[in-house]
Amino acid sequence: MTTTQSGPITHDAGETFEVRSPIDGSVAARLPLHGPDHVAAAAARLRAAQPAWEDLGPKQRCKYLLQWLDWIMDNERRLLDLVQKESGKSWGDTSFESVVAVQIINYVAKHAPKWLADVKVKPDGLLNKTKRLKVHARPYPLVGVITPWNFPLTMPLLDIPFALAAGAAVLSKPSEVTPLAWSEAARGWQEIGAPHVLECVTGLGATGAAVVDQVDMIQFTGSTRTGRAIAVRAAERLIPASLELGGKDAMIVLDDADLDRAVNGAVWGGLFNAGQVCISVERLYVHEGIYDEFVSRVSEKVAAIRQGTDTDHSFTNDIGAMATPAQVDIVDKHVQDALAKGARVLTGGTRGEVGNYYAPTVLVDVDHNMACMTEETFGPTLPIMKVGSEEEAVRLANDSPYGLAGSVWSRDAKRAEALAKRLDTGGVTLNNALTGVAQMGVPFGGWKSSGMGARNGGAYSVRKYTRQQALVGERVAMKSEMNWYPTTPENAGKMAKAVRLLGMHDWRRRFGKPAR
Ligand code: NAD
């Protein structure tokens, strides 16, 4: 493969698919369209290498992960150029993707060895006193990781280091829209001389489906529609599926919020990555007491956002293109639907003439009859609705099939937290947006149609890629035990007495006295 920034990247053999530049629609690359046979062969190679990987133990495995991190950072500029080429992001949004590599890999390398150690468990009840109990974690041999296009490097990196640290081999499938940077990062794993426990296959949805057919556990991030199809197939194969799906996050701004912070946070939370973040601010509920000022300041700030793709790495654009023309169509459809139903655009509301650009947009006079307030937009829009009370804000925020995250803005920490606990979402940020996903110590996962399971959260981040093996030993190993054969009335009687004596809660039942 060649990795120049000018012409298309090409591969030699077999069927291919095109990757198009979001900047101008030109063909940026052609990559192999891997079919089921290729995927099965990759799975077989990974399965062959996995037992030795598991035997290495977590410390040695983490050494390879840290070596890989060095490689990623040594090749940072080249990888980020690929991210920008395939996603059309501004350089500021692009640069964020290597930060995640540093955070995740350091985190997992620091903690995985202790998280994977056997856990001793105290036996329950006097009858089990003589048991020696341990829980041992063994990896799923082969984990599939299927990812979307919004963060070409970040998305695979949020999962794969944890699975590798757990001792699993990983078959990864990046989005067909943005496969370039990740294919190269996965090649880096081979280049550092690490065992062959990570492979990247490329292709469309069918390639993803072939991955699901080969693996022992699937970690998926993407749309609710695809997640549901994967859950069905996983159920047929009886393999676990961890699903991170779509969202429609609400931002609730109370009347006592720090207005400067709320305005700046709304604009960043709604527009970062051109709004293509699963936990973007997708809809806002603002208390009537501050609504007018909030709306006017947000509009002013959004109108000043600089849009474009600064391929010269100059940080002169705030937000870039959207990944696909289809995504621009969805955004425009939501805006047009809102306008047709009586909403007003205060700024933006137009698509670019060339490339996948949509101007950052503020919508007001919106309500829940409009798609912009109920369906995932995944674009640079801020639809703002006035609310008269906390009650109304909570009711509207919870009026959604999604339950990924949300945010509450107030100077009163107790008030904000109490309100946050009433939201039906897997996470809530207080006086901030988007930051929940970066907190590795707490679970990140969606409720309702936003997902199943959680992406990470302390020890769970690694242990989710393992199966729990219960080791039940004996402290005192007698020649025989009371309930072993032959059964006798004496032993059965002693057992029955012991069960009552140790398990009942009053003296009459403990000594088996008849009921009065
Ligand atoms: P998508 O569901 O269209 O595709 C995601 C991946 O699934 C791609 O790699 C695709 O090739 C693959 N795929 C498609 N059909 C498949 C099938 N039948 N079996 C297996 N794999 C298949 O999603 P997208 O458009 O790439 O991404 C946008 C969506 O991702 C949005 O809904 C967004 O909210 C969601 N997302 C969620 C999170 C989260 O953490 N909850 C994070 C980022 C994005």
Side-chain angles (χ1 to χ4, degrees), residues 183-403:
S183 301
E184 187 54 9
R187 197 186 62 71
W189 180 261
Q190 314 301 332
E191 202 170 290
I192 63 167
H196 190 84
V197 287
L198 172 62
E199 252 196 75
C200 170
V201 290
T202 54
L204 315 183
T207 308
V211 168
V212 180
D213 280 348
Q214 291 295 332
V215 296
D216 306 307
M217 185 224 168
I218 185 79
Q219 170 66 45
F220 171 76
T221 306
S223 65
T224 298
R225 193 167 59 90
T226 308
R228 193 167 276 128
I230 287 178
V232 168
R233 184 63 188 134
E236 282 167 354
R237 294 202 54 232
L238 276 184
I239 60 165
S242 172
L243 307 174
E244 296 294 336
L245 310 177
K248 188 71 190 168
D249 288 6
M251 170 171 179
I252 297 177
V253 189
L254 299 180
D255 49 1
D256 63 349
D258 175 336
L259 214 54
D260 289 327
R261 185 169 174 82
V263 166
N264 291 329
V267 176
W268 180 70
L271 302 185
F272 173 64
N273 211 41
Q276 303 166 111
V277 189
C278 55
I279 48 172
S280 276
V281 170
E282 285 251 339
R283 51 195 171 120
L284 294 90
Y285 303 102
V286 180
H287 193 273
E288 58 191 7
I290 51 165
Y291 176 85
D292 288 341
E293 192 182 349
F294 181 86
V295 166
S296 120
R297 288 172 63 179
V298 164
S299 301
E300 198 182 318
K301 207 166 165 71
V302 170
I305 291 288
R306 301 161 304 170
Q307 188 172 32
T309 307
D310 41 355
T311 51
D312 58 355
H313 310 157
S314 59
F315 293 95
T316 45
N317 293 126
D318 299 309
I319 67 167
M322 311 202 61
T324 63
Q327 199 56 45
V328 182
D329 290 345
I330 294 173
V331 177
D332 198 41
K333 203 173 96 191
H334 285 191
V335 172
Q336 298 313 323
D337 168 74
L339 290 176
K341 290 172 179 164
R344 283 182 298 133
V345 164
L346 297 187
T347 180
T350 51
R351 54 196 304 164
E353 282 173 16
V354 179
N356 308 336
Y357 297 91
Y358 199 91
T361 300
V362 176
L363 284 162
V364 291
D365 299 343
V366 290
D367 61 38
H368 279 215
N369 293 312
M370 300 172 186
C372 68
M373 294 301 280
T374 55
E375 294 173 22
E376 187 180 46
T377 307
F378 222 59
T381 55
L382 289 168
I384 312 177
M385 198 170 162
K386 190 192 291 186
V387 291
S389 65
E390 284 185 22
E391 279 315 307
E392 189 183 2
V394 170
R395 183 177 57 74
L396 289 166
N398 286 340
D399 176 28
S400 172
Y402 293 109

Side-chain angles (χ1 to χ4, degrees), residues 397-413:
N398 286 340
D399 176 28
S400 172
Y402 293 109
L404 192 53
S407 62
V408 181
W409 301 68
S410 163
R411 280 200 172 89
D412 180 339

Side-chain angles (χ1 to χ4, degrees), residues 492-507:
K494 281 182 202 161
M495 267 303 268
K497 275 189 180 156
V499 167
R500 280 183 164 268
L501 188 63
L502 300 173
M504 292 293 95
H505 304 277
D506 60 84
W507 290 111

